Amino acid sequence: MPATRTLSLRHVQLARAVFAAIAALMITFSADHSASVGLAAFSGFALVSGVIYVLAAWLSSPAGWRWPYVLMAVVAGLTGMAAGIPAWRTTPLFFVVVIVWGALTGVIELIAGIRARRQVRSGALSVDHPAAEGARDAMLLGSLGLLLAGALLCVPTSYALNYTIAHAGSFTLTGITLAVGIFGAYAAIVAVFLGIAGLSPRRAPSGASNLQGSPIDTAGAVSASAENEGSA
């Protein structure tokens, strides 16, 4: 009998959703969208995500499917530590660290999801396998990570737009302001998606119907019993 996993995919998704929501709220309710604030929010988000990945690889993933969480934990740990050094918190570093993190984790998660879907279609993996269960979500999250990296690549680090609002004053919209806002939007989308995924009903295990008896088998048993009583 296989060992019971102490951490399910649902727990991993909800944990990731909680800390993505915290990062999104930190950025949303901060009037300062500088590199320091953005890197502080990203550092905490990445480091905690790395811990979640390690726990997921250890307690949730079956053998042969731990590599996505292990690789993402390494990427999150390295980028989170780099972003956590106060002396390094500059505008170029924010772009470099977040782009690298989004691209690498996006590719890892996308490949893992595609691989699981292909194995399900070929019959090498059952539909109720943990990797198959989270394949679609992994593909979407990987795509979002790549989209984040692509969006930040389109923002010039030296961008500055001066504008004036009547009765409010003059303001400057900078590249780092846009970049931090994009990361905050990404974190909010991930939080909502993972929250919904974590709270959604799960597919019943394939063996559950065999334990309880299928409706067809039950009806057949009742019919056979009635025939026996009639003949008696």
Side-chain angles (χ1 to χ4, degrees):
M1 181 177 180
T4 303
R5 289 182 295 273
T6 57
L7 194 69
S8 68
L9 176 64
R10 181 192 302 273
H11 299 137
V12 175
Q13 290 175 329
L14 290 176
R16 292 177 66 181
V18 167
F19 289 102
I22 292 174
L25 290 173
M26 286 177 62
I27 292 172
T28 301
F29 292 101
S30 173
D32 182 7
H33 281 189
S34 64
S36 297
V37 172
L39 285 168
F42 172 78
S43 175
F45 169 73
L47 291 174
V48 174
S49 296
V51 174
I52 295 173
Y53 297 147
V54 170
L55 292 175
W58 181 27
L59 301 174
S60 172
S61 301
W65 288 95
R66 297 187 177 99
W67 62 269
Y69 285 126
V70 172
L71 291 178
M72 289 194 296
V74 172
V75 174
L78 293 176
T79 54
M81 286 188 291
I85 300 175
W88 291 5
R89 288 178 179 173
T90 61
T91 295
L93 182 70
F94 179 87
F95 280 87
V96 171
V97 165
V98 180
I99 288 173
V100 168
W101 174 84
L104 291 181
T105 57
V107 168
I108 293 168
E109 207 151 17
L110 185 60
I111 290 175
I114 293 174
R115 181 169 177 257
R117 288 292 290 271
R118 286 180 176 176
Q119 290 196 13
V120 170
R121 290 175 181 175
S122 67
L125 209 64
S126 63
V127 293
D128 55 356
H129 189 277
E133 185 182 2
R136 184 187 63 178
D137 298 338
M139 292 169 62
L140 180 54
L141 289 171
S143 300
L144 287 175
L146 292 175
L147 184 62
L148 170 65
L152 292 181
L153 283 172
C154 295
V155 179
T157 58
S158 59
Y159 177 81
L161 174 65
N162 297 317
Y163 62 98
T164 302
I165 299 178
H167 309 295
S170 298
F171 304 91
T172 301
L173 179 64
T174 62
I176 187 61
T177 302
L178 290 172
V180 173
I182 290 172
F183 172 67
Y186 161 84
I189 293 171
V190 167
V192 172
F193 172 76
L194 285 175
I196 294 173
L199 296 174
S200 298
R202 299 299 184 191
R203 182 194 300 270
S206 57
S209 59
N210 296 332
L211 295 176
Q212 298 175 357
S214 66
I216 295 176
D217 293 339
T218 303
V222 172
S223 177
S225 175
E227 291 176 359
N228 292 335
E229 290 178 0
S231 61

